[in-house]
Amino acid sequence: MRHEGSLRRPDVARAFEAVPRHRFVPGVTLEEAYADRAISIKSDGGETLASISQPSMLARMLELAEIEPGHRVLEIGTGSGYNAALIAEIAGTSAQVVTVEVESDLSEHAREALAACGYDNVRVVLGDGREEVPGEAPFDRVIVSARANDVARAWWQQLRDGGRIIVPLDIGAGGEYAVGFTRYGDELRSVGVVHCLFVPLRGELGTAPPERVFTRTLDVRYGSQPRPIKSILAVPTTAASPELLERADVVVAQPQTTFAVTWG
Ligand code: SAH
């Protein structure tokens, strides 16, 4: 990883060196476990339900997250538990990591692997990550490990003001991007965007197509060609006003969150 030059933050680099990835994907060769590839860990009739993510992609997302020692971090989509371990390494022993997984077998395996590797500050919660985890908010960081087409209000509400959320978003704007947002009250402002590839979040936020798309000019052909995203301003859909279009090239109104996208 390091020799490919993809890591800029030393804390992220150290985390990749520290976490034994093979402990989170039993039954594969050492070579497979340390290749820069995603590995499917659960599928159903040919459809991948969960995978251990590609390390270089996780690295870029974790760099975007700028996790600091002592942070409280919420992860949605535990899967193997590998990313939770990386987060725990970066946040350190004084931190609390809460990770939510909807599949009970995966949740159990991840809990065991994390405990076996000594990550006692990671709490693995079985449940639907689209809902709030009772008694744990606020978090400094929220990291979503599955593809969504909306930002759940529950994620937003569990994030402290000034905190950061990283979410793999596919809102029809030319592909799937992990977008890092900082919360300013009732606004999320993007701080960076990286290409990514995730399995969809189970439930509504993972599958519904974009609901309502607004553009100012007819020649902005939404979704026809991948266009680089420069920035996204996100607000609760209940608070979205037409003025958003004055600040963006395209506005996508999803059920919970409205995204004002500026192309690069
Ligand atoms: N972070 C993982 C990658 C997980 S893949 C790793 O490092 O290995 C995405 C995971 O999200 C899958 O395990 C899937 O079961 C889980 N998931 C999907 N929808 C979910 C939901 N609504 N709530 C919680 N977890 C969900």
Side-chain angles (χ1 to χ4, degrees):
M1 289 276 311
R2 253 181 142 167
H3 59 264
E4 288 168 16
S6 54
L7 296 180
R8 286 178 300 276
R9 283 180 65 104
D11 55 346
V12 175
R14 269 196 302 275
F16 277 91
E17 278 159 20
V19 178
R21 194 173 188 247
H22 65 278
R23 303 277 285 272
F24 294 89
V25 269
V28 300
T29 65
L30 210 52
E31 199 182 348
E32 285 165 335
Y34 287 93
D36 187 23
R37 276 197 299 271
I39 305 168
S40 171
I41 54 170
K42 183 166 180 148
S43 56
D44 180 22
E47 186 202 353
T48 299
L49 294 179
S51 51
I52 180 167
S53 308
Q54 186 186 15
S56 57
M57 179 190 79
L58 284 181
R60 287 195 298 273
M61 288 177 65
L62 289 169
E63 289 194 319
L64 202 52
E66 294 186 348
I67 295 164
E68 303 289 339
H71 267 171
R72 294 179 55 76
V73 185
L74 172 66
E75 186 198 24
I76 312 296
T78 315
S80 66
Y82 178 59
N83 197 32
L86 292 168
I87 294 167
E89 282 289 343
I90 299 168
T93 44
S94 63
Q96 176 75 53
V97 180
V98 177
T99 178
V100 188
E101 170 59 52
V102 73
E103 299 283 336
S104 57
D105 54 343
L106 293 176
S107 174
E108 201 43 51
H109 280 130
R111 188 175 292 122
E112 283 165 15
L114 285 160
C117 295
Y119 294 107
D120 333 315
N121 57 340
V122 181
R123 183 179 161 213
V124 182
V125 175
L126 175 63
D128 188 337
R130 296 173 305 156
E131 312 288 334
E132 280 192 34
V133 184
E136 293 284 5
F139 290 95
D140 301 288
R141 299 289 183 265
V142 175
I143 298 185
V144 183
S145 286
R147 185 174 77 238
N149 57 32
D150 200 351
V151 173
R153 283 300 283 155
W155 301 339
W156 194 305
Q157 279 153 359
Q158 291 177 98
L159 182 65
R160 76 162 167 80
D161 209 9
R164 187 166 292 183
I165 175 168
I166 314 294
V167 50
L169 272 181
D170 185 355
I171 50 171
E176 184 182 349
Y177 296 91
V179 184
F181 294 100
T182 301
R183 176 178 174 189
Y184 296 89
D186 243 1
E187 279 187 8
L188 296 178
R189 296 186 208 150
S190 68
V191 290
V193 167
V194 296
H195 269 291
C196 66
L197 201 59
F198 276 94
V199 299
L201 195 76
R202 219 101 67 247
E204 246 162 36
L205 299 183
T207 50
E211 289 246 309
R212 289 172 296 143
V213 176
F214 306 95
T215 58
R216 221 172 9 198
T217 53
L218 291 175
D219 62 334
V220 179
R221 292 267 285 287
Y222 179 79
S224 52
Q225 285 291 318
R227 306 205 32 190
I229 292 174
K230 187 168 160 211
S231 65
I232 303 181
L233 170 71
V235 298
T237 292
T238 48
S241 71
E243 281 81 59
L244 275 177
L245 264 181
E246 292 168 15
R247 298 160 70 178
D249 293 316
V250 59
V251 172
V252 182
Q254 295 289 66
Q256 302 196 31
T257 299
T258 291
F259 303 89
V261 180
T262 304
W263 305 122

